[in-house]
Amino acid sequence: MSEEPLFDPSLKKRSKKKQVAFSENPLGADADPTVPAPSLDDTTSSGDVIDLGPKTVHEQMKQNEAGIGDAASGLGEAKEEDDFKAMFGDLKKKKKKKEIPLELGEEGSGTSTPITNASTTAPGITEDLDFFDLKKKKKSTKKKAAFDLEAFEKELQESKSKDANAEDDEDIPDGEHLNDIDEAELGDDVFDRSEVPAGVDQGTEPWLGSDRDYTYQELLTRFYASLHASNPSLLTSTGKRYTIAPPSIHREGNKKSIFANISDICKRMHRQPEHVIQYLFAELGTTGSVDGSGRLVIKGRFQQKQIENVLRRYIVEYVTCKTCKSPDTLLTKENRIFFMACESCGSRRSVNAVKTGFQAQVGKRSRNRTG
Amino acid sequence: MSVQNLNTFDPFADAADPLAADEPGRQSYIHIRIQQRNGRKTLTTLQGLPKEYDSKKILKAFKKEFACNGTLVDDEEMGQVIQLQGDQRAKISTFLTENGIPRASIKLHGF
């Protein structure tokens, strides 16, 4: 009995780290779907966790966006994480070792402890999930989150070292604290790793295991959580439509128009300027040239609106994917035929070559004959 | 002595068909284009009119309807092309659709 009070505080403090091991253990299906796992499920089925999922996703995204500025230093960390991942096989084994004594201790202390455990640590779990989500989302640009984690981990470490005497017997397999620190950082990654394949990258919904009918809300949040988890770029790009800077048309002299930002627009559309220019000339029924600074000089008087119309038609015909409407396409030429391959849906289709068609003779014939 | 090459049967008879069908298939589009002349003047060209229509009569109808002048130009590649003065693109396309030419086969070019 004297063990329990000693044990509980340590558990609480360590819970942030260790608890995950618990919650993850049944998921990992490590031949331990015993008593603690269902109890955990029951306690966390209050719905807090479910609600937390999407929230964290959004927060994450915000953090991500905020963290992009710090990406430079974040990259370094990402590398570190990668290194850790490389070593993660060993770590997992270590982790396992660690887990086992803890569980043993619990079992030794009595069957009632798991329940108290679960109830006290439910918030802890959710917090941990937060971090996991954050880490899962974008490894590279996550600076802030990583920082939080580190600080968190350090606190944990400190608290751990205080409690070290109490848990010395358990920690013996781990060895020194230096090792521990490493592991604390790595441990999360390990979990991260092991959790991703376990559930649909959020196997955390407590109702997953149960037989009851899932509510629409639960399924919806789960869907969005996993969707955003698997492709975080969706969140940032959902609201944005395919936009292109309007063409800037100036008049040069009386009979020529200058299309100044054609190179920008071509870059934006991922098309060769030659192709775009060819199309423009064919559609407008004129000729022209590219001047020294990359601007297009078009013969004839054209207004911005007119060029815009032509560009719009070009985008419809040569840029947007006919299957999925995505502008993420590549235009390649094979055997004199242009093929458009969609980057997002993978469809591939041939597109008509740009054809000039009939050109009526305009202007003086004599000039045409000589020139 | 039956040499297959000398047979009257052409193994590519149906293989050539798609190509042949492709040619008219592309031709079946009626292209309406515009060209700028000097000043505010423009020129509208109508290319790819199906063979079953008499372009001469259509030109006559255009000229009367749109109150403009026009000619019939013979081009080596494009065949007969109707050429009208001024920007008649919208008018041509409505005229053709009203007279039973499917809108899908009309391609409006230009600005």
Side-chain angles (χ1 to χ4, degrees):
Chain A
M1 288 305 282
S2 64
E3 250 186 270
E4 261 204 327
L6 262 179
F7 199 69
D8 262 340
S10 70
L11 251 186
K12 259 184 200 168
K13 272 168 194 169
R14 295 194 63 189
S15 66
K16 308 262 155 85
K17 198 159 76 78
K18 288 271 159 144
Q19 223 53 48
V20 187
F22 277 114
S23 64
E24 186 251 354
N25 211 11
L27 284 176
D30 230 337
D32 241 296
T34 46
V35 188
S39 71
L40 259 181
D41 279 350
D42 286 342
T43 48
T44 50
S45 69
S46 57
D48 291 342
V49 188
I50 302 162
D51 280 345
L52 263 175
K55 263 183 215 160
T56 60
V57 171
H58 287 291
E59 282 168 13
Q60 246 171 291
M61 290 307 142
K62 274 172 201 164
Q63 277 186 345
N64 277 350
E65 281 170 2
I68 281 168
D70 308 332
S73 46
L75 278 178
E77 280 194 10
K79 269 175 199 165
E80 271 184 326
E81 283 178 3
D82 280 348
D83 285 349
F84 293 150
K85 268 178 225 156
M87 297 157 32
F88 112 92
D90 299 347
L91 290 169
K92 207 176 180 183
K93 275 173 201 163
K94 266 191 190 172
K95 233 8 205 227
K96 287 272 161 62
K97 267 183 203 163
K98 219 178 188 177
E99 274 169 37
I100 293 163
L102 235 191
E103 272 179 34
L104 280 176
E106 257 183 60
E107 277 168 14
S109 62
T111 50
S112 63
T113 42
I115 297 166
T116 58
N117 235 352
S119 58
T120 53
T121 56
I125 285 173
T126 55
E127 277 175 28
D128 274 349
L129 287 180
D130 262 359
F131 287 121
F132 282 158
D133 278 349
L134 283 172
K135 269 211 160 172
K136 227 180 286 167
K137 258 342 115 50
K138 243 191 216 168
K139 292 264 161 74
S140 54
T141 57
K142 198 132 349 103
K143 172 73 194 294
K144 211 175 159 192
F147 256 154
D148 284 350
L149 247 188
E150 271 183 11
F152 186 62
E153 228 56 75
K154 276 196 185 124
E155 279 181 17
L156 265 183
Q157 227 42 61
E158 284 170 12
S159 66
K160 207 190 204 176
S161 61
K162 277 177 200 162
D163 294 329
N165 342 346
E167 292 182 8
D168 248 2
D169 39 348
E170 289 170 3
D171 278 338
I172 282 169
D174 284 332
E176 317 88 11
H177 292 290
L178 281 178
N179 243 356
D180 262 2
I181 290 171
D182 272 350
E183 226 177 84
E185 286 177 2
L186 305 172
D188 269 331
D189 248 11
V190 171
F191 287 148
D192 210 6
R193 267 301 147 108
S194 56
E195 221 177 343
V196 168
V200 187
D201 74 20
Q202 292 228 351
T204 54
E205 284 87 346
W207 42 269
L208 266 187
S210 64
D211 271 343
R212 71 187 168 86
D213 287 345
Y214 310 133
T215 66
Y216 178 71
Q217 272 303 325
E218 282 170 354
L219 291 173
L220 197 65
T221 48
R222 176 178 155 78
F223 165 72
Y224 273 111
S226 55
L227 178 74
H228 293 319
S230 51
N231 31 0
S233 60
L234 266 184
L235 259 198
T236 53
S237 65
T238 38
K240 140 189 131 193
R241 276 191 49 186
Y242 187 60
T243 51
I244 280 185
S248 74
I249 306 292
H250 313 287
R251 178 72 53 78
E252 185 186 79
N254 202 18
K255 300 188 170 177
K256 283 179 190 165
S257 306
I258 293 189
F259 186 169
N261 60 349
I262 187 163
S263 53
D264 292 344
I265 289 177
C266 290
K267 234 174 256 166
R268 184 80 182 72
M269 295 191 296
H270 303 294
R271 288 292 173 272
Q272 295 295 319
E274 292 80 35
H275 191 252
V276 180
I277 290 170
Q278 202 187 353
Y279 182 82
L280 277 177
F281 286 164
E283 280 297 291
L284 297 172
T286 60
T287 54
S289 54
V290 181
D291 75 356
S293 47
R295 303 179 304 175
L296 180 67
V297 181
I298 309 172
K299 237 172 117 185
R301 294 199 272 192
F302 296 99
Q303 285 153 10
Q304 183 190 328
K305 211 176 72 186
Q306 298 172 322
I307 303 290
E308 225 177 278
N309 274 337
V310 178
L311 274 179
R312 203 162 285 151
R313 255 182 288 156
Y314 177 85
I315 289 170
V316 166
E317 192 160 352
Y318 292 104
V319 179
T320 53
C321 171
K322 290 277 193 293
T323 314
C324 68
K325 300 275 192 295
S326 151
D328 251 355
T329 55
L330 290 180
L331 196 67
T332 50
K333 195 175 193 178
E334 285 169 29
N335 300 333
R336 307 190 306 179
I337 298 173
F338 277 108
F339 283 97
M340 194 166 77
C342 181
E343 293 279 87
S344 54
C345 75
S347 79
R348 205 174 120 88
R349 66 190 293 271
S350 66
V351 290
N352 314 352
V354 175
K355 276 186 76 179
T356 309
F358 175 74
Q359 286 279 353
Q361 179 140 35
V362 179
K364 283 184 184 160
R365 273 152 215 264
S366 59
R367 193 196 299 162
N368 230 354
R369 208 167 290 150
T370 54
Chain B
M1 287 291 271
S2 70
V3 181
Q4 202 169 13
N5 286 350
L6 298 181
N7 283 352
T8 50
F9 169 70
D10 179 12
F12 293 108
D14 46 345
D17 260 347
L19 270 180
D22 196 39
E23 249 343 271
R26 229 183 302 150
Q27 290 287 321
S28 76
Y29 276 124
I30 299 173
H31 298 275
I32 303 173
R33 292 197 175 82
I34 190 162
Q35 264 181 287
Q36 285 194 334
R37 290 176 57 211
N38 38 1
R40 292 189 47 166
K41 295 173 182 173
T42 51
L43 207 64
T44 309
T45 61
L46 174 71
Q47 173 203 329
L49 203 64
K51 292 278 188 297
E52 57 262 33
Y53 296 100
D54 187 350
S55 32
K56 217 170 175 181
K57 278 188 177 158
I58 287 185
L59 173 64
K60 198 117 189 171
F62 278 165
K63 285 164 76 170
K64 189 146 189 145
E65 178 87 12
F66 309 148
C68 67
N69 205 350
T71 61
L72 205 59
V73 181
D74 273 323
D75 194 270
E76 297 103 49
E77 300 166 44
M78 323 290 178
Q80 287 198 315
V81 177
I82 294 178
Q83 191 174 305
L84 297 171
Q85 290 179 0
D87 183 359
Q88 318 287 354
R89 290 174 298 161
K91 289 186 206 165
I92 290 178
S93 92
T94 51
F95 182 93
L96 291 181
T97 45
E98 274 169 17
N99 287 282
I101 290 179
R103 181 170 282 277
S105 71
I106 300 177
K107 267 201 173 173
L108 217 59
H109 297 267
F111 33 83

